[in-house]
Amino acid sequence: MAFEKNKMPMFHKVSLIVFLIILAIFLSPFLYVEINKYIYEKRVTNYLINEKGYDKSELASVEGVFGFKAPQFYTTVIFENELSITYTYFSHDKVLQFDYEIIDDKHKDIKKEELQNYDLEGSIGYK
């Protein structure tokens, strides 16, 4: 009986399949979160560039975020002309600016009317 090259014993095949299934089960939540963060980030970026007329160079940071409260996914944006303000966008059905946060203590006294990127049309308007 000749031994065939590259023939894996049945035990090794089963072990490999079981390992891959377990690996897929453990990686699925991580992949789900990372893929959704990417999707939300791209959705908001496209909205800001294609619908709101921003240039990509005007966006200092666009980041998809996974949170533990509802909604689980949202996007934060920092604009180059307002590096001390973080804007929060929801993009589940359509893209809406939800909120803003002043992240620099030097600008704590800024009023909503003074914000350069506050979207009156696309804002949910809770503040």
Side-chain angles (χ1 to χ4, degrees):
M1 192 176 192
F3 182 73
E4 294 180 31
K5 264 186 165 179
N6 297 328
K7 183 150 181 152
M8 189 183 281
M10 183 60 108
F11 173 76
H12 291 278
K13 285 182 184 177
V14 171
S15 297
L16 181 62
I17 290 171
V18 168
F19 172 75
L20 291 174
I21 290 171
I22 291 171
L23 185 64
I25 289 170
F26 282 107
L27 287 180
S28 293
F30 174 77
L31 289 174
Y32 171 77
V33 168
E34 292 304 312
I35 289 169
N36 274 294
K37 283 171 39 177
Y38 177 80
I39 290 169
Y40 281 73
E41 178 181 316
K42 291 303 169 196
R43 209 179 276 167
V44 171
T45 301
N46 288 335
Y47 167 79
L48 292 171
I49 292 170
N50 298 327
E51 293 185 36
K52 292 310 225 176
Y54 286 96
D55 189 80
K56 191 169 178 88
S57 65
E58 295 177 280
L59 306 175
S61 168
V62 180
E63 184 178 335
V65 178
F66 173 75
F68 291 100
K69 295 187 232 172
Q72 286 186 323
F73 294 99
Y74 57 93
T75 305
T76 59
V77 178
I78 298 175
F79 293 92
E80 284 291 340
N81 64 352
E82 285 184 318
L83 295 174
S84 60
I85 312 290
T86 300
Y87 291 90
T88 302
Y89 287 82
F90 293 158
S91 56
H92 304 285
D93 293 324
K94 65 180 190 171
V95 178
L96 295 170
Q97 189 181 80
F98 174 71
D99 199 5
Y100 64 90
E101 179 183 358
I102 300 169
I103 56 176
D104 184 357
D105 286 337
K106 292 186 290 185
H107 297 93
K108 284 285 185 198
D109 296 333
I110 197 166
K111 295 180 175 82
K112 180 169 57 174
E113 299 79 29
E114 299 171 323
L115 297 173
Q116 298 175 40
N117 300 293
Y118 185 74
D119 186 1
L120 293 173
E121 298 169 7
S123 177
I124 296 176
Y126 283 117
K127 279 205 170 193

